[in-house]
Amino acid sequence: QVQLVESGGGSVQAGGSLRLSCVASGYTRNAYCGAWFRQTPGKERERVANIGSDGRTGYADSVKGRFTISRDNAKKTLYLEMNSLKPEDTAMYYCAAVPATPAYCYTAYNQAQYVYWGQGTQVTVSS
């Protein structure tokens, strides 16, 4: 059974930084598409960033230039480095994964395209 466990959330002031981590267990393949989504109350879960097994990344326009997604296959870990945080970045952040080719990941923007999910980690940015 695949489990994803996020960590690294917290409270920071605007302009600050956080690094989220997502460790996978029960999954041995490196050919997967990994992503970070976020959700605020009353809104749909939105993709923040995703990364394919070829290392190609994609970002939501709202976080481009501020957030960086990366992966360490040896550690089975997905990361999200968040800099220049804004109050509007406040949300519950979820990591997600799906066994997939790199080509699949290029357009994997929707939560329905992912199979495995973490429990979420809260990020709160104060002004």
Side-chain angles (χ1 to χ4, degrees):
Q1 184 177 351
V2 177
Q3 279 194 314
L4 302 179
V5 179
E6 302 101 332
S7 62
S11 297
V12 295
Q13 289 194 325
S17 300
L18 283 173
R19 188 193 197 201
L20 306 183
S21 299
C22 172
V23 180
S25 61
Y27 188 74
T28 59
R29 297 176 59 189
N30 290 328
Y32 71 90
C33 177
W36 288 94
F37 284 74
R38 64 187 181 187
Q39 188 172 25
T40 54
K43 292 190 176 181
E44 283 197 8
R45 199 170 290 188
E46 64 170 356
R47 181 206 60 137
V48 174
N50 60 320
I51 183 168
S53 56
D54 60 352
R56 178 167 163 171
T57 58
Y59 297 92
D61 288 342
S62 59
V63 306
K64 278 181 183 176
R66 300 189 298 121
F67 290 12
T68 302
I69 187 172
S70 62
R71 57 194 284 167
D72 185 329
N73 290 334
K75 295 183 178 179
K76 299 189 189 304
T77 302
L78 196 65
Y79 301 100
L80 184 68
E81 185 77 34
M82 304 186 294
N83 298 314
S84 302
L85 282 161
K86 304 175 181 180
E88 51 264 44
D89 294 318
T90 295
M92 184 71 79
Y93 283 72
Y94 299 89
C95 71
V98 58
T101 63
Y104 178 93
C105 204
Y106 297 161
T107 56
Y109 305 146
N110 192 289
Q111 58 177 320
Q113 295 175 272
Y114 293 84
V115 175
Y116 305 115
W117 290 87
Q119 81 290 347
T121 186
Q122 178 67 37
V123 171
T124 303
V125 185
S126 57
S127 57

